[in-house]
Amino acid sequence: FTPSAAGTYVFGLSVSDGKASATDSVSVVVAATAATNVARQSGVTVTQSSQLSTSQGTKAIDGVISGYPTDETKEWSTNAGKAGSWIKLTWSSPVTVSRIVLYDRPNLNDQVMSGTLTVSDGSTVTVPALNNAGGATTITFPARAGTSVRLTVNSVSSATENVGLAEMEVWEAV
């Protein structure tokens, strides 16, 4: 038996030898599986349209939500990138995802105003304006399987000099 959902499953057993019989039951509780941030799995490859030497693309998946003006070495920042800039995560085998959490760079000038997530299966998801102070912007969608996810920045604020991300979380569908 392989459970398909969290819950309590009750199994019963009845035995008889023709003269006597006995019954018993057991309850098995299946807990919900916690989602995994597959962006942090070993072997994930990060590529990007550009990067500053102090703010590489790999910093967008380091698990640290920080960046300029506090610590620019903890974020991905493009080199004068604006609309058209992109970052892509690639896995060696397919992952099934249903939620991506993006954290904009935590300064008030550089802001992603819109974007597109493209999964290697060809599907796309629209990205709204990201929280300009570096807070989480969560994008949920029906589960999709693929070996890569790419965020393309479609528009930026007028004050943007170097678009980028403080962090990118890619959550496995459960």
Side-chain angles (χ1 to χ4, degrees):
F1 169 73
T2 302
S4 60
T8 301
Y9 296 86
V10 179
F11 298 91
L13 175 66
S14 296
V15 294
S16 174
D17 65 1
K19 296 180 185 174
S21 63
T23 61
D24 199 3
S25 65
V26 64
S27 296
V28 176
V29 178
V30 177
T33 304
T36 301
N37 177 4
V38 296
R40 305 275 331 273
Q41 287 182 334
S42 63
V44 175
T45 303
V46 180
T47 52
Q48 61 284 319
S49 54
S50 71
Q51 66 184 8
L52 293 176
S53 61
T54 57
S55 306
Q56 295 110 5
T58 55
K59 297 301 181 172
I61 62 166
D62 64 359
V64 179
I65 302 164
S66 185
Y68 176 83
T70 304
D71 187 351
E72 69 274 0
T73 67
K74 304 296 183 193
E75 67 180 359
W76 164 59
S77 178
T78 60
N79 186 1
K82 296 184 182 356
S85 298
W86 56 269
I87 186 166
K88 181 178 180 181
L89 307 180
T90 304
W91 295 266
S92 57
S93 58
V95 294
T96 302
V97 300
S98 60
R99 176 172 46 116
I100 295 180
V101 183
L102 301 173
Y103 297 83
D104 205 9
R105 296 182 65 212
N107 68 73
L108 298 180
N109 292 331
D110 302 308
Q111 183 183 13
V112 173
M113 297 303 292
S114 69
T116 303
L117 291 166
T118 305
V119 181
S120 61
D121 69 355
S123 64
T124 61
V125 178
T126 300
V127 174
L130 302 187
N131 179 312
N132 195 30
T137 302
T138 302
I139 300 105
T140 57
F141 46 88
R144 294 160 189 206
T147 56
S148 68
V149 173
R150 176 177 159 150
L151 168 65
T152 303
V153 177
N154 296 336
S155 62
V156 299
S157 70
S158 60
T160 297
E161 295 178 20
N162 303 300
V163 74
L165 294 174
E167 193 70 15
M168 180 176 187
E169 300 171 351
V170 180
W171 293 93
E172 182 178 43
V174 290

